[in-house]
Amino acid sequence: MPHRRPFSRHRPHWWPENESWPPAKSPSRHNPFFRRLGCLFGVFNLLGCGLFVMLIAFIARGFGLELIDFSFLLQWALPVSLSALVLAVAIVILAVFGLRRISIPLDDLLEAAGRVAEGDYSTRVQENGPPEVRSLARAFNVMASRLYLADEQRRNLLADATHELRTPLTVIQGNLEGMLDGVYPSDEANLRALLEETTVLSRLLDDLRTLALAESGALQLKKEPTDLLPFLRDSVSAFQPQADAAGVTLSVKMADYLRMLKLDPGRIRQVLSNLLANALHYSSAGGTVSVTCELSGENILLSVEDDGPGIPTEDLPHVFERFYKSADSGGMGLGLAIAKHLVDAHGGSIVAESAPGKGTTIRIVLPIVE
């Protein structure tokens, strides 16, 4: 390979003005580390062969084989030496091919790791080479996929939160500017409307904080032994005035005996409150909302059922996704997402069953942990 002269410090007259001089070196496809390792391996092989030949010569001299005539040397020593040379060359060739089969995927992996370190989470590597190298490449691809998904979720959360925060802030800013300009009077009605918007904003921030803690795994639960019968009765009775005002019958069906359960009462109450609020919101006058709680082996089965219009089939798989809401939803699309995270944090599960025109049932399974 001809020697490449270093670039001059002065820009040539023909070089484009908008490009820097000297030009940046184009990155090689593979990292040279494993090439150097292969060369070192070859040198060690050559040194080993040389030492082996010297050892054979020393042993032969010790046995006085140097006195053997030249014809015997040609008859036996030369074929043996040629065979050993061919064997050594074959071993070196196989070792080079084997090392190349390992080094190329590892070079690709090093290059891909550098791109991920620079923030390119879409980088993937081909799963080539020996089983161990393929396993390493597969683990790298899984790691990169999770990093990509986490970065995508972070971006989406930021965009969704910005969108949801903009509405109450716009309302508050517009009303305050109108009051300062004399367009709206600074009376109790307008101030109360602004207070309601700040309440919405505060609730949204609390929900976002809870969701962020839950998604990052940093949500702390304050579990304590809880008697489910009085706990559930108190949680449901808090919605009785709202049900009476909407003309909806709120029924409760609980087993006569429920074991003590170790849970976070505040978080489970938050889950139950969200489910009851949704059920009452979608129930029309004369409808019924039923809350059922029963034992099933080592689990507690809790369900909230309404006879409202139900959830459209295309929306049902997405009801527990954050910021996902139907066209007639009045919320922000965080309640069910938070409920799922809180139930998961308790080691339970939550599912939604619904059909258009046949109501909706949300079922929660909580393991009994005393």
Side-chain angles (χ1 to χ4, degrees):
M1 180 182 292
H3 178 69
R4 180 179 295 178
R5 293 183 301 173
F7 291 111
S8 172
R9 292 184 301 175
H10 303 287
R11 180 197 302 269
H13 67 277
W14 46 265
W15 192 258
E17 293 292 337
N18 58 346
E19 295 186 12
S20 61
W21 181 267
K25 296 181 179 179
S26 59
S28 60
R29 183 171 180 333
H30 300 298
N31 193 292
F33 170 75
F34 293 103
R35 294 180 185 174
R36 295 195 298 267
L37 184 62
C39 293
L40 186 62
F41 180 76
V43 170
F44 272 114
N45 277 332
L46 292 177
L47 291 177
C49 290
L51 291 175
F52 178 74
V53 171
M54 293 176 62
L55 179 62
I56 293 298
F58 180 77
I59 294 175
R61 183 177 294 275
F63 283 96
L65 296 181
E66 70 276 9
L67 301 178
I68 300 177
D69 58 0
F70 185 71
S71 61
F72 180 81
L73 180 65
L74 291 178
Q75 184 179 359
W76 296 101
L78 185 60
V80 171
S81 300
L82 290 177
S83 300
L85 179 62
V86 172
L87 181 61
V89 171
I91 292 175
V92 170
I93 292 176
L94 291 176
V96 168
F97 277 104
L99 186 62
R100 180 178 175 81
R101 186 167 175 260
I102 296 175
S103 65
I104 290 179
L106 290 178
D107 284 337
D108 291 338
L109 192 60
L110 281 178
E111 184 180 352
R115 292 199 298 269
V116 170
E118 294 174 357
D120 183 9
Y121 301 133
S122 62
T123 302
R124 301 294 183 272
V125 295
Q126 294 184 355
E127 299 177 7
N128 298 326
E132 295 79 5
V133 178
R134 291 201 303 269
S135 177
L136 180 61
R138 190 178 305 113
F140 176 86
N141 288 335
V142 172
M143 178 198 69
S145 299
R146 292 182 177 177
L147 287 174
Y148 181 85
L149 180 60
D151 185 66
E152 192 71 17
Q153 289 178 344
R154 179 184 61 82
R155 294 175 185 272
N156 292 337
L157 177 60
L158 182 61
D160 294 339
T162 303
H163 174 73
E164 293 294 336
L165 288 171
R166 185 182 295 114
T167 300
L169 287 175
T170 301
V171 172
I172 294 173
Q173 181 180 356
N175 281 273
L176 288 176
E177 289 177 351
M179 291 179 186
L180 292 175
D181 295 338
V183 179
Y184 304 130
S186 303
D187 54 9
E188 181 181 354
N190 287 326
L191 292 176
R192 189 175 298 278
L194 290 180
L195 181 61
E196 292 177 357
E197 291 297 330
T198 59
T199 303
V200 172
L201 189 61
S202 177
R203 186 169 62 250
L204 175 59
L205 292 175
D206 289 340
D207 290 345
L208 286 173
R209 181 178 180 275
T210 302
L211 185 62
L213 290 175
E215 289 187 344
S216 64
L219 184 64
Q220 302 257 336
L221 296 179
K222 299 179 180 179
K223 293 185 177 182
E224 58 185 50
T226 304
D227 191 349
L228 286 180
L229 283 175
F231 170 75
L232 292 176
R233 288 196 182 103
D234 292 343
S235 300
V236 174
S237 62
F239 285 85
Q240 190 62 53
Q242 182 178 342
D244 295 338
V248 177
T249 303
L250 184 59
S251 64
V252 181
K253 300 177 182 178
M254 299 184 185
D256 295 334
Y257 170 73
L258 292 177
R259 296 170 59 180
M260 294 285 291
L261 191 62
K262 193 172 184 180
L263 49 80
D264 187 333
R267 296 301 186 182
I268 296 300
R269 188 185 299 272
Q270 182 179 355
V271 173
L272 190 58
S273 297
N274 179 267
L275 299 183
L276 287 172
N278 287 343
L280 292 174
H281 174 74
Y282 288 104
S283 297
S284 56
T288 302
V289 173
S290 301
V291 178
T292 306
C293 186
E294 58 186 355
L295 278 172
S296 177
E298 295 299 320
N299 296 315
I300 295 291
L301 301 182
L302 177 63
S303 61
V304 178
E305 181 180 1
D306 65 71
D307 53 4
I311 302 174
T313 305
E314 62 274 12
D315 293 336
L316 188 58
H318 308 286
V319 294
F320 294 108
E321 297 177 6
R322 52 181 169 80
F323 291 109
Y324 189 89
K325 54 185 179 181
S326 58
D328 58 345
S329 175
M332 293 172 287
L334 291 176
L336 288 179
I338 293 174
K340 184 179 187 311
H341 281 293
L342 294 180
V343 173
D344 291 342
H346 281 81
S349 62
I350 181 171
V351 295
E353 301 173 0
S354 182
K358 296 184 179 180
T360 302
T361 301
I362 307 294
R363 303 187 189 279
I364 298 174
V365 179
L366 292 175
I368 298 176
V369 180
E370 299 180 353

